[in-house]
Amino acid sequence: MTYPVRLRLLPIARCLFDEPIVVKIDGLRSKQVVTIRARTTDERGMLFSSSAAYRADAGGEIDLSRDPSIGGSYTGVEPMGLLWSMKPQILHKDFRKTRALDPVMVNFSLHEEEGRMLAEATNERFLMRDGVSRVPVQEGNINGVLFTPPGEGPFPAVLDLYTSMSEKRACLLANKGFVTLAVPVLSGRPQQIHLDHFADAVHFLQQLPKVSSKGVGIVSRSKAGDIALSLATFVRGVKAVVWINGCSANAGLPLYYKNKQLLPALMFDRKKLFSTNSGAVISKYAMHDPLNTESRDSLVPIERACGSFLFVASEDDLAWDSKAYMENMVERLTNNGKENFESVCYPGAGHCLEPPYEPFCSSALNIFTGMPALWGGEPRAHAAAEVHLWRKIQEFLRTHLSCEAAQTKPKMLNQKDDQDDI
């Protein structure tokens, strides 16, 4: 008896964006070679796709959690390889997923070597768990989106900073039990940045009735990283900061607070942008050295911070030398007798570390240079780093934003209790 070919997505075809699935196929001929394709579009309508060849076992079955790809977008046993290996139809495009309400739809299809389709299934990857609320916040200087877990709480609070607006990570954190406010660092083309706007966001979170304590966590990447460092240093109530591939100095634009300049900008030299054959540039060595005498005033004095830090650096970051920035911060804290930090370094990972299971971004527009940039990283190593980091972020935030942690006041020397009075 001949059975129909089936392509199944397990445990179910509908899952959270950051959850893995298992792709299984049965009904094939013994040792039959087939190709599995994955396709999706981002919120701009940009097509991303991947494919991998597999050989069925003696029983005509393929299990991507067990069986190796023998060719295509990747090789080897990679259960989620069809997702992270997807590439854009047009060069230098990132996977744009900034809105939380719309799920990502991924079509998986199975094809014979001649190309005829044998089966297909659709994976609906949604960002908002049932019961999570999404509320736009436009209050004073705050322009963001608040995500709140279901239930009465109390919950730990997190300020999620992206360089440009994105709801993705904030919503996924709310699924895990964090009240999370997503706020962009840059809007339009500012000539300077005002820390007051982000301090207001911290204070807003502190006053929410469902928030468990007065301590707020911050998650940040790239340019948002130095804003997070500055909040931890100058604004009271920041208890935990996740800094991912950022800068140790105030990068690009002068930083103001309470109507005066707080930190000058660490600038970059466009002459040190390295052009590649792809049309994208490498900007890793274009930033001025923050340790040089003329740039040291731009360093964020994190030695003054009361909270805890999780520093994360990718060794193959081509946007800037995030590993060197991280090593400098670790050295400064250590020399000042501080133990309020953890550091993680990922070999083979690039600049754009995101929540797991989205297409690897090798290059895209850099809003500071106005040019396509190579972000660095090897896709397989980068994807593995994202899985590990996503768990690490949640563990770090839970540890330092618990009620017990909030009740323990850090000891600081020669510093007022109220950091707002600088």
Side-chain angles (χ1 to χ4, degrees):
M1 179 180 295
T2 302
Y3 294 96
V5 176
R6 294 189 303 170
L7 190 160
R8 293 180 295 155
L9 306 176
L10 303 174
I12 57 175
R14 187 173 186 265
C15 66
L16 286 171
F17 184 87
D18 58 345
E19 289 180 344
I21 57 167
V22 176
V23 180
K24 288 189 176 182
I25 296 161
D26 55 45
L28 297 172
R29 300 187 304 275
S30 176
K31 305 300 182 182
Q32 182 178 355
V33 175
V34 292
T35 296
I36 309 174
R37 299 175 185 170
R39 294 163 58 92
T40 190
T41 55
D42 70 4
E43 58 194 31
R44 299 167 300 185
M46 182 64 58
L47 175 66
F48 289 75
S49 62
S50 63
S51 65
Y54 285 87
R55 188 185 304 277
D57 63 15
E61 296 182 353
I62 296 172
D63 181 343
L64 267 63
S65 67
R66 174 197 69 189
D67 301 323
S69 164
I70 58 176
S73 300
Y74 61 93
T75 57
V77 179
E78 291 291 340
M80 298 293 285
L82 285 166
L83 290 184
W84 57 251
S85 70
M86 285 194 285
K87 293 183 178 180
Q89 188 178 29
I90 300 175
L91 197 62
H92 307 318
K93 296 293 183 181
D94 57 335
F95 182 78
R96 191 69 55 84
K97 182 56 186 167
T98 63
R99 299 189 297 268
L101 293 177
D102 304 321
V104 175
M105 309 299 289
V106 183
N107 174 261
F108 292 90
S109 58
L110 179 69
H111 301 261
E112 292 181 318
E113 288 185 283
E114 296 79 13
R116 184 172 70 93
M117 188 171 72
L118 300 173
E120 65 177 337
T122 298
N123 179 207
E124 182 181 356
R125 309 187 65 81
F126 59 99
L127 279 83
M128 288 183 63
R129 185 186 295 277
D130 291 344
V132 171
S133 71
R134 174 190 179 276
V135 178
V137 177
Q138 292 184 328
E139 182 175 312
N141 292 316
I142 305 170
N143 185 10
V145 179
L146 179 69
F147 294 92
T148 305
E152 294 303 315
F155 305 106
V158 175
L159 176 61
D160 184 59
L161 298 178
Y162 267 92
T163 304
S164 300
M165 185 59 191
S166 175
E167 301 176 12
K168 175 180 59 184
R169 190 170 58 200
C171 183
L172 294 174
L173 283 171
N175 294 338
K176 309 297 183 182
F178 298 93
V179 171
T180 312
L181 177 63
V183 173
V185 167
L186 298 180
S187 298
R189 295 183 176 275
Q191 300 301 309
Q192 57 197 30
I193 294 181
H194 291 268
L195 194 64
D196 311 68
H197 299 177
F198 309 104
D200 288 352
V202 170
H203 298 151
F204 172 84
L205 284 167
Q206 289 176 300
Q207 301 305 315
L208 292 175
K210 289 189 177 183
V211 168
S212 62
S213 71
K214 298 303 180 184
V216 172
I218 302 176
V219 182
S220 62
R221 181 175 65 79
S222 195
K223 167 58 188 172
D226 60 74
I227 299 300
L229 297 179
S230 295
L231 285 169
T233 301
F234 301 113
V235 176
R236 187 181 182 186
V238 176
K239 298 300 182 185
V241 168
V242 180
W243 174 100
I244 305 169
N245 290 332
C247 186
S248 56
N250 177 56
L253 295 167
L255 184 67
Y256 283 74
Y257 190 39
K258 296 188 174 181
N259 298 316
K260 66 178 181 180
Q261 182 171 295
L262 194 60
L263 296 170
L266 178 70
M267 303 306 293
F268 68 95
D269 185 351
R270 296 187 72 93
K271 295 178 181 178
K272 292 184 179 180
L273 295 173
F274 178 75
S275 299
T276 67
N277 292 334
S278 71
V281 299
I282 295 174
S283 57
K284 183 169 186 173
Y285 304 107
M287 293 297 295
H288 292 181
D289 186 350
L291 301 183
N292 286 345
T293 303
E294 63 272 18
S295 300
R296 288 190 69 88
D297 287 347
S298 66
L299 283 171
V300 183
I302 56 172
E303 302 88 346
R304 296 171 52 181
C306 292
S308 298
F309 296 98
L310 173 60
F311 300 127
V312 181
S314 296
E315 289 193 3
D316 195 35
D317 187 348
L318 297 182
W320 50 23
D321 200 349
S322 54
K323 184 182 178 183
Y325 298 149
M326 180 181 77
E327 290 172 344
N328 167 252
M329 291 190 293
V330 168
E331 181 180 12
R332 282 193 283 141
L333 290 174
T334 302
N335 289 343
N336 280 269
K338 296 288 192 128
E339 298 180 349
N340 59 336
F341 64 89
E342 301 176 53
S343 61
V344 183
C345 197
Y346 290 111
H351 184 69
C352 298
L353 287 173
E354 292 286 325
Y357 311 131
E358 70 173 49
F360 167 69
C361 180
S362 61
S363 61
L365 180 68
N366 184 323
I367 60 175
F368 279 101
T369 65
M371 306 168 68
L374 287 184
W375 298 130
E378 186 277 321
R380 189 190 310 266
H382 188 94
E386 290 182 329
V387 173
H388 181 272
L389 176 60
W390 188 230
R391 292 195 298 263
K392 182 71 176 175
I393 289 172
Q394 295 168 57
E395 292 169 0
F396 175 81
L397 292 174
R398 287 195 180 97
T399 296
H400 295 286
L401 299 180
S402 67
C403 293
E404 292 78 12
Q407 292 167 0
T408 303
K409 290 186 178 180
K411 294 181 180 179
M412 294 294 293
L413 298 176
N414 301 321
Q415 184 175 343
K416 295 181 182 180
D417 181 57
D418 190 343
Q419 286 177 274
D420 284 338
D421 296 330
I422 59 172

